[in-house]
Amino acid sequence: MTDTGTAVALTPAPTDQVLSPAALSGMPALSRFGIPLGLAGLGGGWSAARSSLGSPMWPEEILYGAASSLWLILTGVYVVRGLRRKGTFRADLRHEVAGPFASFIPLVGILLSSHYSQYLPPWGAWLCMAFIAALALVAAQLLAHWVTGGVSMQSIHPGYLLPVAAGSFVASIGFSSIHAHNAAMAAFGVGVFFWLVIGTVVTVRLMTGGEVLPAAKVGLSAYLAAPATANIAWMVSHPGPIGAIQLELTGILLIMVLMQVMLLPEYRKLPFTQMFWVFTFPVGATTNYAIRWLATTDLPGREIYAWAILGLATAFTLAIAARTVPTPIAPKAARLAAPQSTEVR
């Protein structure tokens, strides 16, 4: 193993793989898309509050507007960067840590087009379907890379759930927003399949393969993103009284929330970087569903609980934003992304 700490063990055996500089550069570039994703996720929470609690429209529109502006700027910068360096996107997809975060680009597009389809019915629906198709292509490329030995067991982290599980549930939400129920159910089925398959692989790796890289630890929040988006997807596609499937999904979400609470000491050990924005989307999606779920119950004080949850989620996202402004994030994110020794001691 090299002394520079740039090798990644393919297995606990002493066989190492060195990632190219092009692959390492993808971490800060792709992680930036967590910012508009988190803002759009919180915008969904405020949208649920407008329907259930009668909140004003301006918070959600500000959040979606900010997410749209940042997403357009970041996408433009990313495309220009890709045109300057041939094969950049392919290299980023093959990044063992950051590769799954490539799905953030179409994921944000789905969330934004789903929201704005209410103002531009025909164009919004077409854009939503286009972004869902783009997500499917990205997920298919990632899957093809993964199943052909493109990643080591040591590099796998919960972020691998984002493009194929949480992404499919977001696609289901997008289809429901444009009233394509059958397509929404098909996307939901895809999400459940990969939630079980990839979730099993990820959990086995975490339980038996040792500690993940520091940059990958924020991906543990994907354990929350998958059930949160699954719950929203099922609820919007099955309006009406809460059924057995919704209750089962809610139970899964609750245990994942508790697990995230138990992980707080681990998260507090991490130095702040731009990667912390990865936390904001699961928080926003959970808030979105919590508000929707509370509205269906007769729980005393449910509106107070809903406002409290929304307030905490908003404060959390604003705190991340405030910390981001003065932080020199790109160099630190690149250092955290650089693979270090992963030998099992």
Side-chain angles (χ1 to χ4, degrees), residues 132 135-136 139-140 143 161-172 175 182-199 230:
I132 291 173
L135 176 63
L143 284 168
L161 285 164
L162 292 171
V164 291
S168 297
F169 294 135
V170 171
S172 178
F175 279 128
N182 290 339
M185 286 296 90
F188 187 88
V190 173
V192 170
F193 174 78
F194 285 113
W195 190 8
L196 294 173
V197 174
I198 303 298

Side-chain angles (χ1 to χ4, degrees), residues 48-236:
R50 179 166 57 88
S51 302
S52 303
L53 304 174
S55 68
M57 183 180 292
W58 62 265
E60 86 180 83
E61 294 303 334
I62 288 177
L63 288 165
Y64 277 115
S68 300
S69 300
L70 286 171
W71 180 74
L72 288 171
I73 292 170
L74 291 173
T75 301
V77 171
Y78 188 80
V79 169
V80 170
R81 169 177 168 264
L83 291 175
R84 290 178 178 174
R85 296 175 57 182
K86 185 178 180 181
T88 297
F89 185 66
R90 182 185 294 266
D92 288 350
L93 278 176
R94 292 171 179 262
H95 190 296
E96 290 196 332
V97 176
F101 299 146
S103 62
F104 285 4
I105 302 174
L107 273 175
V108 178
I110 295 171
L111 293 173
L112 296 178
S113 58
S114 296
H115 173 71
Y116 289 117
S117 63
Q118 61 184 313
Y119 305 115
L120 302 168
W123 294 105
W126 283 106
L127 282 173
C128 185
M129 289 189 288
F131 287 126
I132 291 173
L135 176 63
L137 288 174
V138 170
Q141 290 182 71
L142 287 169
L143 284 168
H145 179 57
W146 297 345
V147 301
T148 53
V151 295
S152 64
M153 192 64 175
Q154 289 300 109
S155 67
I156 293 175
H157 59 83
Y160 280 56
L161 285 164
L162 292 171
V164 291
S168 297
F169 294 135
V170 171
S172 178
I173 296 169
F175 279 128
S176 293
S177 72
I178 59 175
H179 310 293
H181 179 75
N182 290 339
M185 286 296 90
F188 187 88
V190 173
V192 170
F193 174 78
F194 285 113
W195 190 8
L196 294 173
V197 174
I198 303 298
T200 300
V201 174
V202 168
T203 304
V204 169
R205 180 265 174 268
L206 294 178
M207 293 176 66
T208 63
E211 193 173 12
V212 296
L213 294 171
K217 281 191 176 181
V218 296
L220 290 167
S221 61
Y223 274 116
L224 184 60
T229 51
N231 271 286
I232 298 171
W234 188 263
M235 177 171 277
V236 298

